[in-house]
Amino acid sequence: KTEMEPWDFGNVGWENDRAYGFITSPVKDQLTFEVLAWTPSTKGTVRGKAVMMEIPLTKFGDDPRCMRPPTEAEFTIYLDSMKSKVSGNMVLFGEPASPGIEFDPPNKRLTSDDIEARRNPRRRNNVVTNDDRPTCPKLDVTPINFREAFGIINDFIIENAVAVNIQDARMVHGKIRAFHNRTFDLTKAVPTAVMRNEDYGRIWRLLKDGRDVNLEFNIQNSIYPNGKTAYNTIGEIKGTDKADEVIMLGGHLDSWHAATGATDNAIGCAVMMEAARILKAVGVKPRRTVRVALWSGEEQGLLGSQAYVAKHFGSFENPKPAYNKFGGYFNVDSGTGRVRGWTVFGPEEAAQIVGNATGSFTDLGFIGVSNTMNRGLGGSDHTSFNQAGLPGIGALQDPIEYFTDTWHTNLDTYERIVEEDVKVTAAIVAAAVYKLAMRDELLPRLPKDKMPRLAGGR
């Protein structure tokens, strides 16, 4: 049984159809960039000058590191001086990042000690470094708040008809992370390119050298009004004598548009579908219903899984009938690396049970399971269950270039998948789900007096 279950996203769908950009003078070259999601198209091909903007800083005190943002009045004077320069042109805001050179290779595999430290953060060694911040005199003026300044800059760019807003990707080796206009309102942004650091820096240096830099862009995006309704994809293997109780597993279908989302999180979805296929292929008859969920809206804030949990289970404070029939949700969402451990929301006994269910995989690098009592929302979809007081089970995985290279970048493609690791993870998940589906009892929960309160005291 498979179905598409709708939930209200509330914003139009968005897609980039095509985009290109060039330096046309004083040199000629193609620019590498990704379009910021939920921003508008250019009016066909647009040409103009590159213009630098930044929040001007003022030195105060004797230490050259003592720099303050402008006051509101100073910032207004600066913006007034820029109006005639930006209209119809392309704005680069902020000097380029200097990501530096990586001399040490990033982790590919985690050691047993690494996994143990992640499962038990209290066992980590805390290293205290000397504070080398400058000692600055007390300010005799009130500088503008940076958050407010960025909002003012955004309004300024719109009001003064900037043709293209150019942002620095701030990453090495041409990697780009392009997220979205946080308002999802295309009228509150101009066409926006997130440009690789190497190209952004080149344009900035030419401008700093006093050269005029001319650019050309064509960005075409489409919007889809029916995108206001999003869908989770749900499939299940029906249980037998405990069919009204549910064990869940899942990943999220959506990804950022700079690449195909192979490691974030097509591979998590593939792992969970394969785990379900394994159970079907070996002909098991689970006592509890096994349900696979492929979420949407994860990248916008775990929205799909939050909607599902609220609809079907409720929360510890406001439970629905199915709340006490839920037996755990397994989540994979940290790339192609194999699962080396799990964290389970609930008492230590719950972690011990999940650990026993997967303990036979130590020869494949599986270390163990720990419990967490954090109801905070964030990271991935298992925390939607944690927040509700339900046993969300999150994976600890080998990094395999995930956060250094593929996470949300233009490199997140099929070529980054490690097939052996994916197969191992699918087997571990299938075994764990089967064991929980066949137990006499559900995973133990935290009692009322041990359940952490939600942030804000709710």
Side-chain angles (χ1 to χ4, degrees), residues 31-48:
L31 298 168
T32 300
F33 65 94
E34 299 291 340
V35 180
L36 194 74
W38 281 279
T39 56
S41 306
T42 58
K43 296 177 180 178
T45 299
V46 293
R47 300 175 180 88

Side-chain angles (χ1 to χ4, degrees), residues 426-448:
I428 291 172
V429 171
V433 168
Y434 175 72
K435 291 290 183 65
L436 294 196
M438 300 300 288
R439 294 184 74 249
D440 288 336
E441 304 294 334
L442 291 167
L443 284 178
R445 307 268 187 93
L446 291 170
K448 184 175 182 179

Side-chain angles (χ1 to χ4, degrees), residues 158-329:
I158 296 170
E159 292 166 3
N160 289 279
V162 168
V164 180
N165 178 18
I166 302 173
Q167 300 180 0
D168 180 8
R170 308 179 70 84
M171 300 186 74
V172 297
H173 307 315
K175 289 180 284 191
I176 300 172
R177 287 189 177 122
F179 294 102
H180 66 293
N181 164 23
R182 293 187 180 278
T183 68
F184 297 97
D185 184 346
L186 277 69
T187 68
K188 295 182 179 179
V190 301
T192 303
V194 183
M195 189 174 290
R196 69 174 179 174
N197 176 254
E198 294 83 354
D199 286 349
Y200 188 97
R202 184 185 192 187
I203 295 170
W204 189 274
R205 288 188 296 272
L206 286 167
L207 292 171
K208 279 287 190 181
D209 201 35
R211 312 287 293 276
D212 285 340
V213 179
N214 291 289
L215 305 176
E216 175 183 311
F217 284 90
N218 189 305
I219 297 171
Q220 299 303 312
N221 305 317
S222 293
I223 61 171
Y224 299 91
N226 59 358
K228 291 183 178 181
T229 300
Y231 296 87
N232 295 319
T233 303
I234 309 296
E236 66 181 25
I237 302 172
K238 199 69 176 176
T240 54
D241 63 309
K242 292 180 176 290
D244 58 336
E245 298 179 355
V246 177
I247 308 296
M248 292 188 67
L249 60 159
H252 68 88
L253 280 171
D254 65 317
S255 63
W256 288 109
H257 54 289
T260 61
T263 70
D264 186 21
N265 186 28
I267 201 59
C269 294
V271 162
M272 297 316 194
M273 292 168 67
E274 174 63 7
R277 187 202 66 80
I278 290 171
L279 295 177
K280 289 284 288 184
V282 299
V284 301
K285 301 294 183 184
R287 300 180 68 187
R288 295 181 177 86
T289 295
V290 174
R291 186 174 298 161
V292 180
L294 308 182
W295 311 112
S296 57
E298 192 273 352
E299 297 294 3
Q300 287 72 51
L302 316 180
L303 302 182
S305 57
Q306 285 189 73
Y308 186 89
V309 170
K311 176 181 177 180
H312 291 273
F313 303 115
S315 66
F316 176 78
E317 290 76 14
N318 295 289
K320 294 195 172 183
Y323 188 87
N324 292 318
K325 301 286 188 177
F326 183 76
Y329 166 74

Side-chain angles (χ1 to χ4, degrees), residues 310-352:
K311 176 181 177 180
H312 291 273
F313 303 115
S315 66
F316 176 78
E317 290 76 14
N318 295 289
K320 294 195 172 183
Y323 188 87
N324 292 318
K325 301 286 188 177
F326 183 76
Y329 166 74
F330 290 87
N331 191 76
V332 169
D333 183 24
S334 290
T336 190
R338 69 180 62 184
V339 169
R340 304 290 304 282
W342 301 104
T343 59
V344 183
F345 179 81
E348 291 185 2
E349 293 82 0
Q352 292 169 0

Side-chain angles (χ1 to χ4, degrees), residues 33 47-48 69 88 152 155 193 232 243 257 273 297 341 346 363 374 377 453:
F33 65 94
R47 300 175 180 88
I152 293 170
D155 293 342
N232 295 319
H257 54 289
M273 292 168 67
D363 60 320
N374 182 4
L377 188 69
R453 289 195 302 173

